[in-house]
Amino acid sequence: MTILFNDQLIARDEARVDVEDRGYQFGDGVYEVIRVYGGHPFCLEEHLDRLERSAREIRMPLPYSREKTEHLLLQLIEADHLKEGYLYVQITRGVAPRDHAFPSKSEPVLTAYAVESQRPTDLMKNGIRAITQEDIRWLRCDIKSLNLLGAVLAKQAAVDAGAQEAILHRNGTVTEGSATNVFIVKDNTLWTHPANHLILHGITRAVTLKLAEKEGIPVREEAFSLEDLRSADEVFITSTTKEIVPVVAVDGIPVGTGQPGLVTRKLQQAFEQKIGVSV
Ligand code: PLP
């Protein structure tokens, strides 16, 4: 495995995290996960837009221009001959003596690497089980920050319950999944939480909304309740690595017929057309 460490490509064994890196001590940094299909990064501009926005929102400078970052990521894909998989890219505020306030001097540190992985076609076909969990995260979930403990605890609760994802809610209003956006279908209309500070503005979410529009599926970017989730005809989650995955049971109760629904299938097919593959 090759590591992109700042602007250098180095071997995995040579990569070292400084104990005073603020990403390590405070989770003071931002990240992206970018899907690679056939050796090409998918929605790269959208991911870099979001990376820049996340950095701006935490008042952290980025180490390189957009062009240079793009060039480095493409070099990384080439170095590891990555065809199917994803890039993990993180940038921290850098290394400085431990103090919560920003250091007066520090250089951001970029780390990235490529992971080979196939599309989760079994999950796409058969769906997953989800549980519901209270959303205990902070109020800036729109920032893709390294602070993921809320997500980690929610996902572990799902795994402990024999499920694959935790669907989060704030006082009964569904926000998103621990690492995915959540959609429901009710009376052939697609519902998903609006892109505000309570959810990550998923790139796959945005792609899915555009595909729905193209397919003539009515869309409502409006908050919906746990009751709406439980009585939905269809539920699905979206993310960079999962694409569109049906949820066939919530808290052990089947969603709709207990099988992936027609609207979900239609959107999966449209998504596959967009990325140029078929299962
Ligand atoms: N919501 C959360 C909390 C996430 O962590 C993620 C991805 O990791 C998503 C949604 C999906 O976002 P994207 O489609 O950009 O991968």
Side-chain angles (χ1 to χ4, degrees):
M1 182 193 270
T2 307
I3 308 291
L4 175 64
F5 188 72
N6 293 324
D7 58 356
Q8 302 295 312
L9 291 173
I10 58 175
R12 171 76 176 87
D13 291 351
E14 287 169 24
R16 294 281 173 273
V17 173
D18 193 299
V19 292
E20 288 187 316
D21 189 300
R22 292 177 62 89
Y24 187 53
Q25 294 190 330
F26 297 109
D28 187 359
V30 296
Y31 76 107
E32 279 296 325
V33 175
I34 305 167
R35 192 68 171 82
V36 173
Y37 295 117
H40 301 289
F42 180 65
C43 291
L44 181 58
E45 297 308 321
E46 288 84 346
H47 281 284
L48 293 179
D49 282 346
R50 186 170 65 184
L51 185 68
E52 286 169 8
R53 178 180 182 274
S54 293
R56 209 167 45 240
E57 292 297 317
I58 68 162
R59 297 161 59 194
M60 185 185 79
L62 288 175
Y64 309 118
S65 68
R66 165 80 71 117
E67 292 68 30
K68 179 155 181 179
T69 307
E70 259 180 45
H71 179 69
L72 290 169
L73 295 178
L74 294 176
Q75 271 191 325
L76 180 60
I77 292 174
E78 226 175 274
D80 268 5
H81 311 289
L82 182 69
K83 289 278 176 261
E84 297 304 320
Y86 61 87
L87 298 178
Y88 176 78
V89 185
Q90 74 163 46
I91 300 172
T92 73
R93 203 181 301 272
V95 177
R98 190 175 182 282
D99 182 2
H100 287 66
F102 300 166
S104 53
K105 255 173 73 182
S106 75
E107 298 285 324
V109 174
L110 181 150
T111 321
Y113 55 86
V115 177
E116 211 184 291
S117 80
Q118 299 301 315
R119 303 171 60 233
T121 46
D122 277 355
L123 302 183
M124 292 171 185
K125 213 165 140 194
N126 303 319
I128 59 160
R129 293 178 302 280
I131 59 163
T132 55
Q133 281 274 297
E134 199 183 326
D135 192 343
I136 60 165
R137 302 171 306 164
W138 71 331
L139 295 174
R140 289 306 307 273
C141 295
D142 55 312
I143 300 171
K144 200 162 169 66
S145 97
L146 296 175
N147 288 273
L148 290 174
L149 208 41
V152 166
L153 293 174
K155 186 64 171 273
Q156 187 57 42
V159 170
D160 290 345
Q164 289 84 33
E165 179 57 306
I167 295 179
L168 308 176
H169 68 93
R170 285 189 195 265
N171 298 318
T173 296
V174 173
T175 49
E176 61 180 335
S178 74
T180 57
N181 289 112
V182 176
F183 291 73
I184 62 170
V185 179
K186 240 179 154 56
D187 303 325
N188 289 314
T189 297
L190 198 56
W191 292 68
T192 196
H193 195 283
N196 62 13
H197 62 292
L198 296 179
I199 67 160
L200 185 74
H201 305 182
I203 307 294
T204 324
R205 173 187 179 281
V207 169
T208 303
L209 288 174
K210 273 204 190 124
L211 293 174
E213 214 174 291
K214 257 197 193 160
E215 295 289 330
I217 301 164
V219 169
R220 293 179 77 159
E221 286 186 71
E222 288 173 32
F224 57 87
S225 68
L226 273 178
E227 288 77 52
D228 293 325
L229 176 76
R230 292 193 177 116
S231 61
D233 302 322
E234 302 178 33
V235 177
F236 65 83
I237 55 166
T238 63
S239 81
T240 291
T241 52
K242 298 224 160 44
E243 297 179 12
I244 297 174
V245 166
V247 175
V248 293
V250 173
D251 294 328
I253 299 161
V255 172
T257 61
Q259 298 292 322
L262 289 178
V263 174
T264 308
R265 285 280 183 246
K266 202 177 202 181
L267 289 168
Q268 284 180 315
Q269 278 161 15
F271 196 94
E272 284 183 343
Q273 252 178 12
K274 185 169 172 66
I275 62 171
V277 299
S278 63
V279 198

